[in-house]
Every structure is written in C-alpha cells, then in structure tokens.
Amino acid sequence: MLQKARTFAISAHGDQKYGERPYVFHLDAVAKLAEPYGEDAVVVAYLHDVVEDTETTVEAIASMFGPQIAACVGLLTDAPGANRKERKVKTYAKLAEVSGPNELALIVKAADRLANVRACLADRKQSLWEVYRSEHMVFRSAAFRAGHCDALWSELDRLLSQDAFDAQV
C-alpha cells in the first residue's frame, strides 16, 4: 500500500512544485519522518496534501485506501477560508477535537510541519519560518498529544525557538 500511495500522490500532484523542487521532495520528507509510527502513518503522509492541493476527493481516498486513511487525510486538509489565518484557525480547531484512531493524523501533521520548517531553514526562507513560528503555540496546543510523537515535537520546538533561524547559518 505504501508504493500505491506514493505513486498515487505523485500522479495527483502532477507538475506542482515544493519551492523549486518537485513536490515528491516534500512527500518523501514527510513520509520519512512518519516511518517510525507505522505503515498507515506513511500512507497518510504521502496522501496528506492530495485533497487540499489537487482535484482528489476524500471519497476517492476512501475507495482506494479505506475509511481510516481517508478520515486522517480529511483532517489534514485545511478548512476553507479567505486567507491563511482564517483557514488555520478553522483547521486547528478541527485538530484540537481529534481523538482515538484519528490521532494518527496528528502525528502526520507534526511530521508535515517539521518537514516544512526544516525546508525553510535549509532554503533560508526566513519569512515563511517566521509564519510557522508565529503559529507554533496555537498549532501545538491543537495538535500535540503527549506520548504520540514526542521526538518530532521536540525538534519542531527547537527549530522554532527564537534564535534557531540565525543558528542555522
């Protein structure tokens, strides 16, 4: 199922880019971070952006990968809104309510955010890093669950600390 998810996501994202790189760069980075949390986490990692960024529906994900994977992908899809702030407020509120088996989505969300922050630092994209930093406490309060993926959160907290961007020089 891992290869099926990766192949499907690459096809769905088509020519989309992640910065200057092919989109698969981001998908592979998130999947690698999700590996310690099991096969379903990696499958969700590959699929986490397909509903938000392509014409793919949650229903299509459910028919190909099952209802649990689809539920997690749906949770990772930003709620509609006029701008980033409005979308994130709605999305974080949705994440704060997640419990039970759907908490798998929160692990993938932490992996996604960590991959994004690592890329900001590697590519010296300070303005985007500052966006993630400004959202971090609200994001953390919505998505963090003690004992689920503490290593991801520890690195994310460190990379979004006040002097982390300058320390990466």
Side-chain angles (χ1 to χ4, degrees):
M1 187 152 66
L2 294 177
Q3 191 56 47
K4 178 181 174 184
R6 185 176 189 273
T7 300
F8 177 82
I10 290 169
S11 176
H13 285 287
D15 292 334
Q16 289 177 358
K17 296 284 191 180
Y18 183 80
E20 300 296 316
R21 299 176 182 97
Y23 207 81
V24 69
F25 172 84
H26 174 62
L27 300 177
D28 285 339
V30 177
K32 180 79 172 153
L33 289 166
E35 272 180 8
Y37 307 99
E39 182 175 323
D40 283 353
V42 178
V43 170
V44 173
Y46 277 121
L47 300 172
H48 79 277
D49 279 336
V50 296
V51 173
E52 186 172 294
D53 294 342
T54 77
E55 298 300 314
T56 305
T57 64
V58 172
E59 294 76 21
I61 298 298
S63 72
M64 290 189 298
F65 299 97
Q68 181 62 45
I69 299 296
C72 289
V73 171
L75 287 166
L76 296 172
T77 301
D78 271 354
N83 54 47
R84 179 183 174 92
K85 183 176 182 177
E86 193 175 295
R87 289 188 307 273
K88 295 303 179 188
V89 164
K90 292 177 182 178
T91 300
Y92 296 164
K94 176 174 64 169
L95 294 178
E97 299 299 318
V98 172
S99 64
N102 288 344
E103 288 180 346
L104 177 65
L106 303 178
I107 293 169
V108 175
K109 188 62 181 170
D112 176 38
R113 182 59 57 98
L114 180 54
N116 287 334
V117 169
R118 283 178 173 179
C120 285
L121 292 169
D123 296 342
R124 306 296 300 154
K125 299 213 179 218
Q126 186 168 4
S127 61
L128 186 53
W129 176 83
E130 288 174 357
V131 169
Y132 291 130
R133 187 168 179 272
S134 72
E135 295 173 350
H136 186 59
M137 294 316 296
V138 174
F139 170 67
R140 192 180 207 290
S141 68
F144 176 78
R145 302 294 188 277
H148 278 152
C149 55
D150 292 345
L152 299 179
W153 283 102
S154 178
E155 183 178 351
L156 193 53
D157 291 343
R158 183 178 55 78
L159 293 179
L160 290 171
S161 68
Q162 183 142 5
D163 60 349
F165 193 88
D166 294 330
Q168 297 294 314
V169 177

